[in-house]
Amino acid sequence: GVDYSQLHIRRIAFARDALFGPGHFLPAWYPHELLGTPFLANLQSFPWIPTRLILLLFDPLSAFAAGVVIASLLAALFTYLFCRRVGLTHIGAMAAGWTFACAGFFSSRVMVGHLPLLEAYPSLPLLLWLADRAIAPDRARHAALDLALLAAAGAATSVAGHPQLPVYSLTAAVLYSLWRGRGPRRIRALLTLALGLGTTAAVWWPMLQLIRRSTRILDLARPDNDIAMPYARLLSLLWPAIDGWPDIMELHGQKAFDGYPTEAYFWDTCSYVGLIPVAAVLVLAMRSVAKRRPPAMPWAFLALLGGGALVFSLPLTEPLRALIPGTLLRSPARLLYLSTFAAAVAFGYCVSELLRSSARSRHAIVVFGLLFHLLDLGGFSRRFIETVHWPVFGTKAFDGILSRELHGGRVAAEDRLANYDDVGFFDSLMLANPYRAVFGSAGEPADYNNQQLDGSELPIPALQIAGVGFVITPAERSDLELTSKAEGDHLYRVPDPVPRAAFFARDSVAYRPSAQLLDEFLREPRRDRLLLPLEAESHLPATGASADRGVVTYARPSSDEIRLESESGQAGFAHVLESYDPGWSAEVDGKNAAVLLANGFSMAVPVAPGRHAILLRYRTVGRTTGWALSFLSAGLLLILIWTTRPVPHLRPDPTP
């Protein structure tokens, strides 16, 4: 679980410590990455999918194994239930469920630790199974229950930390309901899905507001992991080792992955389902062509779903994606998720048809085929499972120096430390302006796209403007002063970093239009000047100047609060080196005060002469509106379910 050990374990531990700590709250702000970033609003930081909430009960060091087991079992179970619902035999349904749960799309991501994607993996069979129940005439007496379950499943799916698979699953469920449903049953199913999604507005509305302030709206270069399925990689669906293996796998020594820009091409296109399921798909396709008759429902839908997903995962759809500004759903190769499910069900269908046939040796053929498939796909999937014992992440070798000399500043560590604010980050959704400020100060171009920053590699100017006091890295840096060395790591001191909090008098402030602040700061990053929006001057009291320039002290009682003590002989601004975001509010001596955008990415609070206590609090943007939309949707959903009555004497659906 590589990504888990570098990313998800920290966020699970962060949420768990706050939730089970003295305050029993879920943090709204995450101060440990970049210059601080929203936590509760970011579904990628804290997914609300029920299986993630269960993982909070586990020690973070063992939660990944539990998450993998839960996701694989649910994927197999929901596929089995869907296949039984559409008429497959027990053995056929079990074969399909096992295939889907063990397919390369799932198993390969166990090794790289894509926990949010694994958690969302069971959503497609779950939604198709419940959608089929909700639109079926033979379920009329249970219509209210089926609608309630469909709404709950749609809501739970939509709040997963990997939005791409839920979008695919929900879209497939909508199309399935439109195609297979009839009359009022179809309309009720679609309304139920829509209102179920509406109940998650308390989560999704803040997320949508965050996206509007994030790197997703910047015109950045295409990231390395935005991948369409290369035509040559289609052969890997039959021969997984055709291009070799990534360096974290034992098989890498036999044949290294080669021929593509990065190893991300392997992980996003590793969708092997076994030779027999691929053969089953080809047999069914040739039979339909030979009979000149398309398959009946739901097999026609699944054939189009799997085939269409495969086509749209290829580079031929790139011109369509280029028309969409920003980055919404990257890596169309992940559409192979739908193709994987269709192939698994096709395999189960062939097993069921063979068992129902009159062939004398049908049982022997099925047993032999299942054993071969077990060895083939099971052996392939097993290559991605390695049992390891993780050490506690982070090092404590330099805790004495850091606690004594850091003074609220940040660190930049190759292996980010759990208890310190680190300028590094690992996410595809960061606040846009702090992202631009750090990389702009590092001399990167405006369209630079980096989703995993190792802060220890930043040049000195970027470290300084981020307030980094120390760098921890196993590498040697001749441009920094070496303070200590232990356990193979070097501790370097950064010269003259920007303090976490400082006072700027009136004559040290320049006023510019808000849209120009960051660009001017990056052109001329002066330490003795604070850039503020034009309206900021009106917040200062008209008092005379003094020779006392003022001081500000910084304290952090919790992730969502910053406490400052300001003392000066004149009016000015208390500057805080933390990401500006509309969710921040301020009080000066218990009275509301303005929080201003400073230098285009940080915060400033106006203060009068004298000594003042400043309290900054963060609350998730859009939370109130989101809860209102959730309650409205829940009310309408209850009305829809309550008014659903069983219709007697319905004839069964004639569709085989």
Side-chain angles (χ1 to χ4, degrees):
V2 178
D3 281 13
Y4 180 81
S5 65
Q6 296 179 357
L7 168 64
H8 306 299
I9 191 172
R10 289 168 168 78
R11 294 178 177 178
I12 289 177
F14 179 71
R16 192 173 182 269
D17 291 345
L19 186 62
F20 299 146
H24 300 296
F25 76 106
L26 283 171
W29 187 257
Y30 191 48
H32 297 333
E33 289 189 344
L34 195 59
L35 306 180
T37 184
F39 183 76
L40 204 55
N42 188 350
L43 277 177
Q44 298 180 162
S45 293
F46 188 78
W48 283 92
I49 191 168
T51 50
R52 172 59 67 90
L53 302 180
I54 293 173
L55 296 189
L56 293 177
L57 302 176
F58 290 83
D59 185 302
L61 291 173
S62 58
F64 180 60
V68 170
V69 171
I70 292 171
S72 59
L73 288 175
L74 291 180
L77 173 63
F78 295 147
T79 303
Y80 169 82
L81 292 172
F82 171 75
C83 290
R84 288 293 294 157
R85 176 69 204 163
V86 295
L88 299 193
T89 64
H90 285 289
I91 299 299
M94 285 190 285
W98 184 86
T99 300
F100 185 60
C102 291
F105 195 98
F106 183 95
S107 58
S108 65
R109 286 170 167 82
V110 174
M111 176 162 280
V112 284
H114 294 170
L115 178 61
L117 186 144
L118 299 176
E119 289 172 324
Y121 191 79
S123 59
L124 178 60
L126 170 65
L127 290 174
L128 291 180
W129 169 53
L130 294 177
D132 191 272
R133 286 162 52 109
I135 60 179
D138 65 334
R139 297 283 305 176
R141 292 188 176 184
H142 309 283
L145 173 63
D146 290 337
L147 292 178
L149 291 174
L150 180 61
T157 294
S158 69
V159 291
H162 192 285
Q164 199 159 355
L165 298 195
V167 167
Y168 295 158
S169 302
L170 289 163
T171 302
V174 168
L175 295 175
Y176 187 82
S177 301
L178 285 170
W179 192 334
R180 191 166 169 84
R182 297 291 183 272
R185 295 189 300 275
R186 173 169 58 187
I187 296 174
R188 283 198 299 267
L190 295 174
L191 285 175
T192 296
L193 274 173
L195 292 174
L197 296 181
T199 62
T200 67
V203 176
W204 262 106
W205 186 257
M207 176 68 167
L208 293 173
Q209 303 308 303
L210 174 59
I211 290 173
R212 296 174 58 188
R213 313 190 298 275
S214 77
T215 50
R216 289 297 179 98
I217 62 156
L218 297 178
D219 188 17
L220 302 179
R222 183 170 176 169
D224 292 340
N225 60 350
D226 190 1
I227 295 165
M229 178 70 169
Y231 296 111
R233 283 290 291 167
L234 290 173
L235 293 175
S236 67
L237 301 178
L238 295 173
W239 184 10
I242 188 171
D243 298 308
W245 306 95
D247 58 3
I248 64 172
M249 297 185 66
E250 293 181 356
L251 293 169
H252 176 78
Q254 299 178 14
K255 185 178 181 181
F257 185 72
D258 192 25
Y260 297 93
T262 68
E263 289 186 348
Y265 277 80
F266 178 88
W267 302 114
D268 265 7
T269 61
C270 183
S271 298
Y272 185 68
V273 294
L275 293 175
I276 293 185
V278 173
V281 170
L282 295 176
V283 167
L284 293 175
M286 289 188 295
R287 190 176 73 168
S288 294
V289 172
K291 291 184 176 181
R292 298 182 180 179
R293 186 178 65 188
M297 279 293 291
W299 317 117
F301 174 83
L302 292 172
L304 289 175
L305 181 72
L310 179 60
V311 170
F312 278 95
S313 72
L314 299 173
L316 59 88
T317 60
E318 290 299 285
L320 295 177
R321 296 183 65 229
L323 299 177
I324 303 175
T327 303
L328 295 176
L329 297 177
R330 67 177 186 271
S331 198
R334 293 174 184 166
L335 281 164
L336 292 171
Y337 168 62
L338 304 176
S339 304
T340 296
F341 178 74
V345 176
F347 173 55
Y349 175 84
C350 286
V351 171
S352 298
E353 289 295 289
L354 186 57
L355 289 173
R356 288 169 176 159
S357 70
S358 57
R360 182 173 300 178
S361 56
R362 61 186 183 277
H363 294 101
I365 295 174
V366 168
V367 169
F368 175 79
L370 291 179
L371 286 175
F372 178 85
H373 184 52
L374 174 67
L375 295 174
D376 176 27
L377 182 59
F380 170 78
S381 300
R382 185 65 185 83
R383 294 168 177 169
F384 298 100
I385 309 297
E386 290 185 14
T387 302
V388 296
H389 295 281
W390 281 325
V392 176
F393 52 91
T395 177
K396 296 184 178 181
F398 307 120
D399 273 0
I401 298 175
L402 295 178
S403 61
R404 186 172 60 251
E405 301 185 32
L406 195 57
H407 304 305
R410 290 185 176 84
V411 299
E414 183 182 63
D415 181 21
R416 290 191 300 281
L417 307 185
N419 299 319
Y420 295 93
D421 294 349
D422 194 313
V423 69
F425 65 85
F426 187 177
D427 204 334
S428 62
L429 188 73
M430 303 300 293
L431 289 174
N433 285 349
Y435 174 94
R436 290 182 57 209
V438 169
F439 284 117
S441 299
E444 301 293 350
D447 65 344
Y448 182 67
N449 196 336
N450 189 337
Q451 299 175 11
Q452 186 174 2
L453 169 64
D454 176 3
S456 67
E457 298 178 350
L458 288 172
I460 290 178
L463 294 171
Q464 289 173 328
I465 73 102
V468 174
F470 291 91
V471 170
I472 302 173
T473 175
E476 295 185 0
R477 290 195 57 163
S478 59
D479 58 336
L480 295 174
E481 174 193 350
L482 179 63
T483 301
S484 181
K485 185 176 180 180
E487 300 178 6
D489 284 324
H490 303 82
L491 179 67
Y492 294 101
R493 189 186 306 274
V494 178
D496 196 24
V498 173
R500 198 68 178 262
F503 182 83
F504 284 85
R506 186 193 301 269
D507 58 359
S508 301
V509 177
Y511 303 97
R512 303 287 186 272
S514 297
Q516 300 177 12
L517 293 176
L518 182 55
D519 291 333
E520 181 165 340
F521 175 82
L522 292 175
R523 281 196 301 270
E524 189 181 0
R526 289 171 51 184
R527 299 282 300 276
D528 60 345
R529 179 188 66 174
L530 190 67
L531 296 173
L532 293 176
L534 296 174
E535 63 272 16
E537 191 170 13
S538 63
H539 292 283
L540 276 184
T543 57
S546 167
D548 182 8
R549 305 302 292 176
V551 293
V552 178
T553 59
Y554 169 93
R556 193 78 182 241
S558 75
S559 61
D560 297 353
E561 290 185 344
I562 297 174
R563 293 185 182 273
L564 307 175
E565 292 286 342
S566 170
E567 187 172 2
S568 67
Q570 58 180 302
F573 297 89
H575 176 243
V576 186
L577 190 55
E578 191 87 6
S579 296
Y580 173 85
D581 194 72
W584 285 106
S585 62
E587 293 180 358
V588 177
D589 299 328
K591 298 180 180 179
N592 292 336
V595 179
L596 303 168
L597 176 65
N599 293 333
F601 65 95
S602 56
M603 297 187 290
V605 179
V607 290
R611 187 170 185 173
H612 303 282
I614 305 170
L615 174 62
L616 287 153
R617 284 197 183 97
Y618 186 80
R619 294 180 176 86
T620 300
V621 177
R623 182 181 59 176
T624 302
T625 302
W627 276 112
L629 293 173
S630 288
F631 282 123
L632 176 62
S633 298
L636 295 174
L637 179 61
L638 289 175
I639 293 172
L640 175 63
I641 295 174
W642 182 259
T643 55
T644 299
R645 293 287 185 268
V647 182
H649 309 302
L650 280 177
R651 294 181 179 179
D653 191 341
T655 304

